[in-house]
């Protein structure tokens, strides 16, 4: 899919809160399909994506079963058909990035996400394998892990994703009931500084993959013991 910067620019310039220049908030009556479409348009157009996810594997990197479990956990009232549809769309979002190494996506994941059995241990094992495969097959994707032993840091306030689209910058964040996109310079600067802080504390990419694989192997051992009784 060819990046469409015009569409992305329209998102950044378009429906903003009129009282807060540069800030866009999801409308209460907006459908999830609209929300996902906007997100995919940003991801498709971005030259660079930088994401911090403290408790879950980021949506773009989720396996189907993990996505189902994560969505069900965070939105328990959602009908199963809608859960399946969202999970399908999460898997497709990585395709928006493509394989070209000139378009980069960096993900910093909290170590806790590697240990939290969303959907059960077997689902987590599958997710960690999926994560390792995505990084191996896509030179455009880099994953780092922030150890739980890291002292206090700006990422404690929650996850976020920053986008660079040409000369434009934007930050996306989600809450339990909605989402926010901002391109206000003060916000961009604050989130950029936060990401730099997180990246400085995260393990290097090679060591991060080793930690992910160690977590996977540990879980596989645990699973085999359960099945063997």
């Amino acid at each position: 899919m060819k990046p469409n910067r015009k569409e992305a620019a329209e998102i950044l310039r378009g429906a903003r809160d009129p009282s807060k220049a540069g800030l866009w908030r999801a409308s209460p009556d907006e459908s999830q399909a609209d929300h996902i479409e906007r997100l995919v348009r940003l991801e498709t157009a971005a030259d660079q994506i930088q994401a911090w996810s403290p408790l879950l594997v980021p949506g773009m990197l989720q396996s189907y079963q993990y996505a189902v479990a994560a969505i069900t956990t965070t939105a328990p009232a959602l009908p199963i058909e809608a859960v399946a549809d969202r999970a399908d769309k999460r898997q497709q979002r990585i395709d928006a990035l493509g394989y070209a190494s000139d378009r980069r996506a960096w993900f910093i994941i909290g170590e806790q996400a590697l240990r939290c059995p969303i959907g059960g241990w077997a689902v987590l094992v599958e997710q960690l394998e999926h994560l390792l495969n995505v990084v191996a097959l896509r030179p455009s994707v880099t994953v780092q892990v922030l150890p739980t032993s890291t002292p206090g840091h700006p990422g404690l306030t929650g996850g976020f994703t920053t986008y660079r689209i040409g000369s434009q910058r934007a930050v996306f964040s989600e809450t339990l009931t909605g989402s926010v996109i901002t391109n206000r310079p003060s916000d961009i600067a604050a989130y950029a500084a936060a990401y730099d802080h997180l990246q400085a504390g995260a393990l290097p990419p090679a060591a991060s993959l080793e930690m992910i694989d160690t977590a996977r192997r540990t879980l596989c051992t645990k699973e085999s013991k359960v099945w063997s009784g």
Side-chain angles (χ1 to χ4, degrees), residues 145-169:
V145 176
L146 187 73
T148 54
S149 59
T150 304
H153 54 77
L156 292 174
T157 57
F160 61 87
T161 304
T162 69
Y163 300 93
R164 187 189 72 194
I165 305 168
S167 61
Q168 298 187 78
R169 302 290 188 277

Side-chain angles (χ1 to χ4, degrees), residues 52 54 108-112 144-156 194-204 208 211:
W52 155 241
I108 300 177
I109 303 173
E111 183 182 353
Q112 186 173 346
Q144 292 179 260
V145 176
L146 187 73
T148 54
S149 59
T150 304
H153 54 77
L156 292 174
Y195 191 86
D196 288 345
H197 188 109
L198 291 165
Q199 194 166 45
L203 297 175
S208 295
M211 175 178 278

